[in-house]
Amino acid sequence: MNANENLITKFYTAFANADAKTMSECYHPKVHFIDPAFGLLKEEQVSKMWEMLLLKSKGNIKIEFSHVKANEFSGSARWVATYNFSKTNRKVVNNISAEFVFQDGLIIKHTDNFDVWKWSKQAFGFTGLLLGWTGFFHKKIQEQALLSLKKFQQST
């Protein structure tokens, strides 16, 4: 494994061990994170998001990762998060594709992609099945995620 593959492995191993501090150490101070649930997060927001998600999971999240690949500039991995969604307590198995850009030996850009409709069917049941594919529902998910993050940042 090269240095950036090791960095990705370190990140997901820390995630699997609920170690938000080590996850944060893998990120460049100017990191940008993008995913369907939160949209664009920058810098300290990114680490706070992972910290919040780990705390909300109360140790009931399983992280598995595979297909770690990287070169000097970019990388990718696949990961699966299995947890109970906090708002509905419904079980979610989310399959995610991650892409990374590296700078100064750290992750400067992290993009996670997953099927929002598949996720919303699991997280919200029938409502997610009916509405999870709509832009309106995606926007609501993002608004709620960002509001949760904002409240978490204010409380810590």
Side-chain angles (χ1 to χ4, degrees), residues 81-100:
T82 305
Y83 59 95
N84 286 353
F85 181 58
S86 60
K87 294 219 182 286
T88 62
N89 201 37
R90 295 176 59 90
K91 184 178 180 179
V92 172
V93 179
N94 198 10
N95 290 287
I96 302 154
S97 296
E99 295 177 9
F100 304 93

Side-chain angles (χ1 to χ4, degrees), residues 33-156:
F33 174 85
I34 302 165
D35 89 339
F38 287 89
L40 173 63
L41 300 177
K42 296 178 182 179
E43 301 168 358
E44 71 277 350
Q45 286 181 310
V46 181
S47 295
K48 285 295 185 183
M49 174 202 58
W50 294 122
E51 185 182 340
M52 176 186 76
L53 293 175
L54 287 170
L55 284 171
K56 279 188 172 189
S57 76
K58 298 177 182 161
N60 294 317
I61 187 168
K62 180 181 175 189
I63 303 298
E64 299 170 289
F65 64 97
S66 63
H67 298 88
V68 174
K69 296 180 178 113
N71 61 33
E72 185 180 346
F73 307 103
S74 63
S76 62
R78 293 199 162 283
W79 62 284
V80 178
T82 305
Y83 59 95
N84 286 353
F85 181 58
S86 60
K87 294 219 182 286
T88 62
N89 201 37
R90 295 176 59 90
K91 184 178 180 179
V92 172
V93 179
N94 198 10
N95 290 287
I96 302 154
S97 296
E99 295 177 9
F100 304 93
V101 176
F102 306 104
Q103 184 177 311
D104 303 326
L106 298 168
I107 299 165
I108 186 92
K109 184 176 181 189
H110 179 175
T111 304
D112 278 348
N113 289 299
F114 59 89
D115 185 328
V116 179
W117 188 35
K118 188 180 274 188
W119 176 87
S120 63
K121 288 187 288 185
Q122 295 175 78
F124 293 100
F126 190 65
T127 302
L129 174 67
L130 290 178
L131 301 174
W133 60 273
T134 66
F136 170 79
F137 202 76
H138 292 192
K139 186 177 179 195
K140 282 297 196 193
I141 290 168
Q142 202 170 87
E143 286 172 358
Q144 287 298 310
L146 290 171
L147 181 61
S148 292
L149 180 57
K150 183 178 179 181
K151 287 179 181 176
F152 180 75
Q153 286 179 286
Q154 290 171 344
S155 71
T156 56

Side-chain angles (χ1 to χ4, degrees), residues 9 15 20 23 25 36 127:
T9 299
F15 196 0
M23 291 173 72
E25 291 169 358
T127 302

